[in-house]
Amino acid sequence: MNWSTKKAIAFDLGYTLVTNNRVQLHRQFLRNQGIELEEEIIRRAYHLADKKFMRAYPKVISTGWDYYFPWFVGKVNFLLGHQFNLIEQTNFMKQEIDRLWQSGQSFWTPFPWTVDTLQKLREQNFRLALLSNWDASARPILSFLELDELFDVIIISDEFGCEKPDPSIFQELLLQLNCSSEEVVYVGDNYYDDVPGAAEVGIATLLLNPYGRLGMEELNYKPVVPDIRHLLELLPLHSHAAYE
């Protein structure tokens, strides 16, 4: 990848820029059942379930809570060696999430490094974009978290009418950024959604995986880094001429 040509950086949203408290809620449910597990053990199980669904069940995660989450949590339970009534378990988690919203909090929160990293990239005159497979809740979440003002371009699949990895949504990214493919790098955590579609229009992708190659052993892909902070090491942070 030729980093010296990059003028714009586009990001996925979920588990790239923001995370949520699903691990903590799962841990609380286990505690209610008299089971104590370290948070990191549960986090790794969720990571492996994510990668399994990305690989084996493409686009299922974007179908919505009722359609996939009980199935997904069942996979997490299997990895942890437990078995529960999935309706009871996921209802508990959903009620806790609803309680968060009702108290003025968000289920989704930026990673601790997200805002600082984005601001540093903006200071270096990189144009920033968001391109995410998400429903109509994306913009309210971005606004609530005060992330929307950090981006020059925001493209949400529910608004555009198709999802990654369809190359047309990446082509739209180039059009809205007014950039060539060589000038853009895409950053995401889902190889199957993020890499093939971007590559079809000539955009290079930086793939995120917080556990090295855990969960994506079938792939021979580089570069892979733990999180977006590593952009500050990879990109030649020199000031580009501002776009008119």
PDB file of all heavy atoms in Angstrom, residues 13 18 36 48 59 76 87-88 103 110 112 120 137 147 149 153 158 173 194-195 207 215 217 222 235:
ATOM      1  N   LEU A  13     -18.091   2.034  11.072  1.00  0.00           N
ATOM      2  CA  LEU A  13     -18.528   2.576  12.363  1.00  0.00           C
ATOM      3  C   LEU A  13     -18.426   1.545  13.484  1.00  0.00           C
ATOM      4  O   LEU A  13     -17.593   1.663  14.375  1.00  0.00           O
ATOM      5  CB  LEU A  13     -19.962   3.108  12.246  1.00  0.00           C
ATOM      6  CG  LEU A  13     -20.557   3.752  13.498  1.00  0.00           C
ATOM      7  CD1 LEU A  13     -19.679   4.893  14.013  1.00  0.00           C
ATOM      8  CD2 LEU A  13     -21.983   4.232  13.222  1.00  0.00           C
ATOM      9  N   VAL A  18     -16.688   2.815  17.195  1.00  0.00           N
ATOM     10  CA  VAL A  18     -17.504   2.733  18.407  1.00  0.00           C
ATOM     11  C   VAL A  18     -17.644   1.284  18.850  1.00  0.00           C
ATOM     12  O   VAL A  18     -17.526   0.352  18.050  1.00  0.00           O
ATOM     13  CB  VAL A  18     -18.913   3.337  18.189  1.00  0.00           C
ATOM     14  CG1 VAL A  18     -18.815   4.814  17.834  1.00  0.00           C
ATOM     15  CG2 VAL A  18     -19.699   2.578  17.125  1.00  0.00           C
ATOM     16  N   GLU A  36     -19.407 -16.614  37.465  1.00  0.00           N
ATOM     17  CA  GLU A  36     -18.464 -15.493  37.413  1.00  0.00           C
ATOM     18  C   GLU A  36     -17.385 -15.776  36.379  1.00  0.00           C
ATOM     19  O   GLU A  36     -16.682 -16.781  36.460  1.00  0.00           O
ATOM     20  CB  GLU A  36     -17.822 -15.281  38.783  1.00  0.00           C
ATOM     21  CG  GLU A  36     -16.952 -14.041  38.876  1.00  0.00           C
ATOM     22  CD  GLU A  36     -17.753 -12.746  38.741  1.00  0.00           C
ATOM     23  OE1 GLU A  36     -18.826 -12.644  39.371  1.00  0.00           O
ATOM     24  OE2 GLU A  36     -17.303 -11.855  37.990  1.00  0.00           O
ATOM     25  N   LEU A  48     -14.795 -13.831  18.612  1.00  0.00           N
ATOM     26  CA  LEU A  48     -14.833 -15.029  17.775  1.00  0.00           C
ATOM     27  C   LEU A  48     -16.202 -15.222  17.133  1.00  0.00           C
ATOM     28  O   LEU A  48     -16.302 -15.647  15.973  1.00  0.00           O
ATOM     29  CB  LEU A  48     -14.449 -16.256  18.605  1.00  0.00           C
ATOM     30  CG  LEU A  48     -12.978 -16.346  19.009  1.00  0.00           C
ATOM     31  CD1 LEU A  48     -12.763 -17.470  20.024  1.00  0.00           C
ATOM     32  CD2 LEU A  48     -12.091 -16.561  17.787  1.00  0.00           C
ATOM     33  N   LYS A  59     -23.908 -10.474   6.079  1.00  0.00           N
ATOM     34  CA  LYS A  59     -25.040  -9.533   6.150  1.00  0.00           C
ATOM     35  C   LYS A  59     -26.064  -9.881   7.220  1.00  0.00           C
ATOM     36  O   LYS A  59     -27.006  -9.115   7.443  1.00  0.00           O
ATOM     37  CB  LYS A  59     -25.729  -9.368   4.798  1.00  0.00           C
ATOM     38  CG  LYS A  59     -24.830  -8.769   3.718  1.00  0.00           C
ATOM     39  CD  LYS A  59     -25.629  -8.412   2.478  1.00  0.00           C
ATOM     40  CE  LYS A  59     -24.708  -7.744   1.452  1.00  0.00           C
ATOM     41  NZ  LYS A  59     -25.453  -7.322   0.255  1.00  0.00           N
ATOM     42  N   VAL A  76     -22.080 -17.312  21.264  1.00  0.00           N
ATOM     43  CA  VAL A  76     -21.203 -16.863  22.351  1.00  0.00           C
ATOM     44  C   VAL A  76     -21.292 -17.824  23.528  1.00  0.00           C
ATOM     45  O   VAL A  76     -20.270 -18.237  24.107  1.00  0.00           O
ATOM     46  CB  VAL A  76     -21.567 -15.432  22.794  1.00  0.00           C
ATOM     47  CG1 VAL A  76     -20.745 -15.024  24.021  1.00  0.00           C
ATOM     48  CG2 VAL A  76     -21.347 -14.439  21.650  1.00  0.00           C
ATOM     49  N   ILE A  87     -34.216 -16.574  24.684  1.00  0.00           N
ATOM     50  CA  ILE A  87     -35.223 -15.520  24.748  1.00  0.00           C
ATOM     51  C   ILE A  87     -35.090 -14.766  26.061  1.00  0.00           C
ATOM     52  O   ILE A  87     -35.091 -13.526  26.099  1.00  0.00           O
ATOM     53  CB  ILE A  87     -36.649 -16.093  24.588  1.00  0.00           C
ATOM     54  CG1 ILE A  87     -36.760 -16.859  23.266  1.00  0.00           C
ATOM     55  CG2 ILE A  87     -37.676 -14.983  24.677  1.00  0.00           C
ATOM     56  CD1 ILE A  87     -36.426 -16.036  22.040  1.00  0.00           C
ATOM     57  N   GLU A  88     -34.948 -15.501  27.148  1.00  0.00           N
ATOM     58  CA  GLU A  88     -34.782 -14.872  28.458  1.00  0.00           C
ATOM     59  C   GLU A  88     -33.498 -14.037  28.501  1.00  0.00           C
ATOM     60  O   GLU A  88     -33.498 -12.900  28.998  1.00  0.00           O
ATOM     61  CB  GLU A  88     -34.743 -15.953  29.540  1.00  0.00           C
ATOM     62  CG  GLU A  88     -34.483 -15.415  30.941  1.00  0.00           C
ATOM     63  CD  GLU A  88     -34.321 -16.526  31.963  1.00  0.00           C
ATOM     64  OE1 GLU A  88     -34.756 -17.662  31.673  1.00  0.00           O
ATOM     65  OE2 GLU A  88     -33.762 -16.254  33.048  1.00  0.00           O
ATOM     66  N   SER A 103     -32.389   6.637  30.300  1.00  0.00           N
ATOM     67  CA  SER A 103     -31.665   7.464  31.271  1.00  0.00           C
ATOM     68  C   SER A 103     -30.733   8.468  30.594  1.00  0.00           C
ATOM     69  O   SER A 103     -29.920   9.113  31.255  1.00  0.00           O
ATOM     70  CB  SER A 103     -30.848   6.565  32.220  1.00  0.00           C
ATOM     71  OG  SER A 103     -29.833   5.863  31.504  1.00  0.00           O
ATOM     72  N   PRO A 110     -17.861   5.722  21.767  1.00  0.00           N
ATOM     73  CA  PRO A 110     -16.588   5.683  21.043  1.00  0.00           C
ATOM     74  C   PRO A 110     -15.531   4.917  21.844  1.00  0.00           C
ATOM     75  O   PRO A 110     -15.547   4.919  23.079  1.00  0.00           O
ATOM     76  CB  PRO A 110     -16.200   7.165  20.926  1.00  0.00           C
ATOM     77  CG  PRO A 110     -17.456   7.923  21.194  1.00  0.00           C
ATOM     78  CD  PRO A 110     -18.266   7.075  22.129  1.00  0.00           C
ATOM     79  N   PRO A 112     -11.962   4.672  23.542  1.00  0.00           N
ATOM     80  CA  PRO A 112     -11.296   5.784  24.230  1.00  0.00           C
ATOM     81  C   PRO A 112     -10.383   6.618  23.330  1.00  0.00           C
ATOM     82  O   PRO A 112     -10.142   7.788  23.612  1.00  0.00           O
ATOM     83  CB  PRO A 112     -10.495   5.072  25.333  1.00  0.00           C
ATOM     84  CG  PRO A 112     -11.221   3.788  25.569  1.00  0.00           C
ATOM     85  CD  PRO A 112     -11.769   3.383  24.237  1.00  0.00           C
ATOM     86  N   LYS A 120      -6.538  14.262  15.360  1.00  0.00           N
ATOM     87  CA  LYS A 120      -5.152  14.365  14.913  1.00  0.00           C
ATOM     88  C   LYS A 120      -5.048  14.204  13.399  1.00  0.00           C
ATOM     89  O   LYS A 120      -4.238  14.883  12.749  1.00  0.00           O
ATOM     90  CB  LYS A 120      -4.292  13.318  15.627  1.00  0.00           C
ATOM     91  CG  LYS A 120      -4.010  13.667  17.078  1.00  0.00           C
ATOM     92  CD  LYS A 120      -3.193  12.587  17.773  1.00  0.00           C
ATOM     93  CE  LYS A 120      -2.894  12.987  19.215  1.00  0.00           C
ATOM     94  NZ  LYS A 120      -2.180  11.912  19.951  1.00  0.00           N
ATOM     95  N   SER A 137     -30.812   4.433  12.588  1.00  0.00           N
ATOM     96  CA  SER A 137     -30.324   4.907  13.887  1.00  0.00           C
ATOM     97  C   SER A 137     -28.916   5.477  13.816  1.00  0.00           C
ATOM     98  O   SER A 137     -28.444   6.082  14.790  1.00  0.00           O
ATOM     99  CB  SER A 137     -30.351   3.765  14.914  1.00  0.00           C
ATOM    100  OG  SER A 137     -29.408   2.756  14.575  1.00  0.00           O
ATOM    101  N   LEU A 147     -19.963  12.746  17.110  1.00  0.00           N
ATOM    102  CA  LEU A 147     -18.971  12.301  16.140  1.00  0.00           C
ATOM    103  C   LEU A 147     -19.246  12.852  14.741  1.00  0.00           C
ATOM    104  O   LEU A 147     -18.336  12.915  13.916  1.00  0.00           O
ATOM    105  CB  LEU A 147     -18.943  10.773  16.067  1.00  0.00           C
ATOM    106  CG  LEU A 147     -18.452  10.023  17.297  1.00  0.00           C
ATOM    107  CD1 LEU A 147     -18.572   8.517  17.075  1.00  0.00           C
ATOM    108  CD2 LEU A 147     -17.010  10.384  17.627  1.00  0.00           C
ATOM    109  N   GLU A 149     -19.705  15.739  13.418  1.00  0.00           N
ATOM    110  CA  GLU A 149     -18.996  16.928  12.948  1.00  0.00           C
ATOM    111  C   GLU A 149     -17.539  16.648  12.581  1.00  0.00           C
ATOM    112  O   GLU A 149     -16.861  17.521  12.035  1.00  0.00           O
ATOM    113  CB  GLU A 149     -19.074  18.023  14.005  1.00  0.00           C
ATOM    114  CG  GLU A 149     -20.494  18.530  14.241  1.00  0.00           C
ATOM    115  CD  GLU A 149     -20.551  19.650  15.249  1.00  0.00           C
ATOM    116  OE1 GLU A 149     -19.481  20.017  15.784  1.00  0.00           O
ATOM    117  OE2 GLU A 149     -21.658  20.169  15.503  1.00  0.00           O
ATOM    118  N   VAL A 153     -17.718  13.542   4.960  1.00  0.00           N
ATOM    119  CA  VAL A 153     -18.687  12.756   4.205  1.00  0.00           C
ATOM    120  C   VAL A 153     -19.220  11.645   5.105  1.00  0.00           C
ATOM    121  O   VAL A 153     -18.440  10.999   5.818  1.00  0.00           O
ATOM    122  CB  VAL A 153     -18.043  12.143   2.941  1.00  0.00           C
ATOM    123  CG1 VAL A 153     -18.950  11.094   2.306  1.00  0.00           C
ATOM    124  CG2 VAL A 153     -17.683  13.229   1.939  1.00  0.00           C
ATOM    125  N   ASP A 158     -28.387   2.241   4.775  1.00  0.00           N
ATOM    126  CA  ASP A 158     -29.844   2.313   4.787  1.00  0.00           C
ATOM    127  C   ASP A 158     -30.354   3.502   3.962  1.00  0.00           C
ATOM    128  O   ASP A 158     -31.421   3.437   3.360  1.00  0.00           O
ATOM    129  CB  ASP A 158     -30.344   2.430   6.225  1.00  0.00           C
ATOM    130  CG  ASP A 158     -31.850   2.275   6.349  1.00  0.00           C
ATOM    131  OD1 ASP A 158     -32.353   1.199   6.013  1.00  0.00           O
ATOM    132  OD2 ASP A 158     -32.513   3.248   6.764  1.00  0.00           O
ATOM    133  N   LEU A 173     -18.543   6.738  -2.345  1.00  0.00           N
ATOM    134  CA  LEU A 173     -17.563   7.340  -1.434  1.00  0.00           C
ATOM    135  C   LEU A 173     -16.548   8.181  -2.203  1.00  0.00           C
ATOM    136  O   LEU A 173     -16.253   9.328  -1.826  1.00  0.00           O
ATOM    137  CB  LEU A 173     -16.852   6.232  -0.646  1.00  0.00           C
ATOM    138  CG  LEU A 173     -15.696   6.667   0.250  1.00  0.00           C
ATOM    139  CD1 LEU A 173     -16.202   7.497   1.422  1.00  0.00           C
ATOM    140  CD2 LEU A 173     -14.927   5.437   0.760  1.00  0.00           C
ATOM    141  N   ASP A 194     -15.599  -5.322   3.963  1.00  0.00           N
ATOM    142  CA  ASP A 194     -14.793  -4.124   3.741  1.00  0.00           C
ATOM    143  C   ASP A 194     -13.741  -4.257   2.646  1.00  0.00           C
ATOM    144  O   ASP A 194     -13.536  -3.312   1.872  1.00  0.00           O
ATOM    145  CB  ASP A 194     -14.102  -3.718   5.050  1.00  0.00           C
ATOM    146  CG  ASP A 194     -15.103  -3.408   6.152  1.00  0.00           C
ATOM    147  OD1 ASP A 194     -16.237  -3.032   5.820  1.00  0.00           O
ATOM    148  OD2 ASP A 194     -14.757  -3.563   7.333  1.00  0.00           O
ATOM    149  N   VAL A 195     -13.084  -5.390   2.564  1.00  0.00           N
ATOM    150  CA  VAL A 195     -11.933  -5.492   1.650  1.00  0.00           C
ATOM    151  C   VAL A 195     -12.349  -5.745   0.198  1.00  0.00           C
ATOM    152  O   VAL A 195     -11.912  -5.008  -0.695  1.00  0.00           O
ATOM    153  CB  VAL A 195     -10.940  -6.572   2.141  1.00  0.00           C
ATOM    154  CG1 VAL A 195      -9.813  -6.754   1.139  1.00  0.00           C
ATOM    155  CG2 VAL A 195     -10.383  -6.175   3.514  1.00  0.00           C
ATOM    156  N   LEU A 207      -7.251  -3.304   7.700  1.00  0.00           N
ATOM    157  CA  LEU A 207      -8.140  -4.199   8.439  1.00  0.00           C
ATOM    158  C   LEU A 207      -7.793  -4.185   9.924  1.00  0.00           C
ATOM    159  O   LEU A 207      -6.619  -4.257  10.298  1.00  0.00           O
ATOM    160  CB  LEU A 207      -8.016  -5.616   7.882  1.00  0.00           C
ATOM    161  CG  LEU A 207      -9.033  -6.652   8.346  1.00  0.00           C
ATOM    162  CD1 LEU A 207     -10.459  -6.248   7.962  1.00  0.00           C
ATOM    163  CD2 LEU A 207      -8.697  -8.021   7.752  1.00  0.00           C
ATOM    164  N   GLY A 215      -9.464 -15.525  14.976  1.00  0.00           N
ATOM    165  CA  GLY A 215     -10.776 -15.468  14.359  1.00  0.00           C
ATOM    166  C   GLY A 215     -10.754 -15.256  12.862  1.00  0.00           C
ATOM    167  O   GLY A 215     -11.793 -15.352  12.206  1.00  0.00           O
ATOM    168  N   GLU A 217      -8.053 -16.699  10.910  1.00  0.00           N
ATOM    169  CA  GLU A 217      -6.902 -17.513  10.522  1.00  0.00           C
ATOM    170  C   GLU A 217      -6.962 -17.966   9.070  1.00  0.00           C
ATOM    171  O   GLU A 217      -5.932 -18.323   8.482  1.00  0.00           O
ATOM    172  CB  GLU A 217      -6.785 -18.737  11.443  1.00  0.00           C
ATOM    173  CG  GLU A 217      -6.427 -18.423  12.894  1.00  0.00           C
ATOM    174  CD  GLU A 217      -7.648 -18.064  13.739  1.00  0.00           C
ATOM    175  OE1 GLU A 217      -8.770 -18.009  13.187  1.00  0.00           O
ATOM    176  OE2 GLU A 217      -7.463 -17.851  14.954  1.00  0.00           O
ATOM    177  N   LYS A 222      -2.882  -8.465   4.565  1.00  0.00           N
ATOM    178  CA  LYS A 222      -2.134  -7.410   5.254  1.00  0.00           C
ATOM    179  C   LYS A 222      -2.473  -6.080   4.594  1.00  0.00           C
ATOM    180  O   LYS A 222      -2.788  -6.043   3.397  1.00  0.00           O
ATOM    181  CB  LYS A 222      -0.633  -7.666   5.159  1.00  0.00           C
ATOM    182  CG  LYS A 222      -0.151  -8.922   5.849  1.00  0.00           C
ATOM    183  CD  LYS A 222       1.358  -9.078   5.684  1.00  0.00           C
ATOM    184  CE  LYS A 222       1.854 -10.356   6.356  1.00  0.00           C
ATOM    185  NZ  LYS A 222       3.318 -10.517   6.194  1.00  0.00           N
ATOM    186  N   LEU A 235       0.533   6.225   8.397  1.00  0.00           N
ATOM    187  CA  LEU A 235       0.382   7.307   7.431  1.00  0.00           C
ATOM    188  C   LEU A 235       1.490   8.336   7.578  1.00  0.00           C
ATOM    189  O   LEU A 235       1.886   8.680   8.696  1.00  0.00           O
ATOM    190  CB  LEU A 235      -0.963   8.002   7.625  1.00  0.00           C
ATOM    191  CG  LEU A 235      -2.190   7.237   7.148  1.00  0.00           C
ATOM    192  CD1 LEU A 235      -3.449   7.881   7.704  1.00  0.00           C
ATOM    193  CD2 LEU A 235      -2.263   7.199   5.631  1.00  0.00           C
TER     194      LEU A 235
END
